[in-house]
């Protein structure tokens, strides 16, 4: 699970480094097919913005794990032994990566070790679209976590590698609120809206 979290984090960070935002060329009609790119960085996931390609091919570079992997570990008493990534959003105003992650101490594997995850997802095609489906667990858990057993926590980073877990003072744990736990009814934001004029509403859920 820690390796999966790191890989997911790597993908998120790579996506943030290259924006695929494009706009129509000034003076060009929508039917002209022209796209004004300017100096905006492009993420070449597909051939959408490639007019032609000769003596070259588009490839996906493999992700490389950081030597300090896993970069986020369950090292607080309230985190139990499981850390699962929910969301990472880059705050352009603050120059800060913000992470929301889940923790629990309610998973117990019959096989031992730290490869803990609640389930595994595979994809299948249904009516012309991709559908995610839960598949049978392969690690042999002897104990599962219910909804009430999860804690949503928060961390920040300047470089996406070194993370801090600030004391939020919102939720009591063992008689103290000096922790990074978020209230149980907190919704994890889906994205940061750069066009929102109200800074308090830029995180959309």
């Amino acid at each position: 699970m820690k390796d999966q979290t790191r890989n997911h984090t790597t993908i998120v960070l790579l996506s943030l480094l290259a924006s695929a935002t494009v706009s129509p060329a000034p003076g060009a009609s929508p039917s002209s097919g022209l796209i004004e790119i300017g100096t905006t960085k492009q993420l070449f996931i597909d051939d959408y913005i490639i007019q032609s390609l000769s003596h070259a091919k588009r490839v996906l570079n493999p992700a490389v794990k950081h030597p300090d992997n896993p970069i986020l570990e369950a090292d607080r008493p309230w985190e139990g032994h499981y850390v699962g990534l929910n969301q990472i959003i880059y705050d352009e105003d603050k120059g800060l990566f913000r992470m929301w992650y889940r923790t629990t101490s309610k998973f117990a594997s019959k096989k031992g070790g730290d490869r803990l995850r609640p389930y595994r997802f595979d994809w299948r095609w249904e009516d012309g679209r991709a559908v995610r489906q839960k598949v049978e667990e392969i690690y042999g858990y002897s104990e599962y976590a219910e909804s009430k057993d999860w804690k949503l926590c928060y961390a920040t980073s300047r470089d996406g590698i070194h993370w801090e877990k600030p004391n939020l003072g919102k939720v009591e744990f063992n008689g103290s609120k000096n922790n990074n736990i978020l209230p149980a009814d907190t919704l994890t934001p889906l994205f940061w809206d750069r066009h929102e004029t109200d800074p308090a509403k830029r995180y959309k859920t």
Side-chain angles (χ1 to χ4, degrees):
M1 183 58 206
K2 293 178 181 177
D3 288 348
Q4 287 181 322
T5 299
R6 172 55 189 156
N7 289 342
H8 189 97
T9 303
T10 301
I11 293 171
V12 172
L13 297 182
L14 290 176
S15 298
L16 288 167
L17 293 177
S19 169
T21 301
V22 297
S23 58
S29 66
S31 60
S32 68
L34 297 178
I35 299 175
E36 178 62 39
I37 294 176
T39 59
T40 304
K41 293 181 180 180
Q42 304 299 314
L43 183 60
F44 292 99
I45 292 180
D46 53 31
D47 297 331
Y48 178 70
I49 61 173
I50 300 176
Q51 181 177 17
S52 63
L53 192 65
S54 301
H55 307 294
K57 65 179 181 179
R58 179 173 49 81
V59 298
L60 179 64
N61 292 328
V64 178
K65 294 180 181 179
H66 192 273
D68 293 337
N69 184 69
I71 60 171
L72 189 72
E73 296 188 81
D75 56 5
R76 302 291 193 272
W78 54 88
E79 292 177 333
H81 51 237
Y82 178 94
V83 171
L85 174 64
N86 268 29
Q87 183 66 283
I88 294 178
I89 294 178
Y90 182 65
D91 185 332
E92 296 181 4
D93 289 344
K94 303 292 185 181
L96 194 69
F97 290 98
R98 302 183 187 275
M99 177 192 290
W100 291 259
Y101 65 98
R102 298 185 306 158
T103 67
T104 185
S105 59
K106 290 296 184 178
F107 279 124
S109 174
K110 296 176 181 178
K111 299 181 180 180
D114 60 0
R115 291 208 60 175
L116 297 172
R117 60 181 178 181
Y119 36 70
R120 179 169 59 90
F121 282 115
D122 279 346
W123 293 89
R124 60 183 173 83
W125 284 99
E126 182 178 292
D127 297 329
R129 64 189 183 91
V131 178
R132 193 171 71 160
Q133 63 179 356
K134 184 177 176 180
V135 297
E136 184 179 355
E137 178 51 54
I138 59 176
Y139 292 112
Y141 288 108
S142 59
E143 185 179 1
Y144 286 84
E146 303 295 336
S147 298
K148 61 181 177 60
D149 299 319
W150 291 99
K151 291 181 178 63
L152 182 65
C153 298
Y154 175 75
T156 62
S157 173
R158 290 291 178 186
D159 59 8
I161 297 174
H162 304 91
W163 291 89
E164 297 181 1
K165 301 174 180 179
N167 288 332
L168 303 178
K170 295 180 177 294
V171 178
E172 184 174 319
F173 178 84
N174 288 348
S176 173
K177 290 187 177 181
N178 291 328
N179 57 63
N180 65 330
I181 305 173
L182 291 165
D185 59 352
T186 301
L187 296 177
T188 302
L190 298 177
F191 66 97
W192 187 84
D193 186 357
R194 71 179 67 188
H195 302 295
E196 173 61 62
T197 56
D198 185 351
K201 298 179 180 180
R202 284 183 176 167
Y203 290 91
K204 305 297 186 180
T205 55

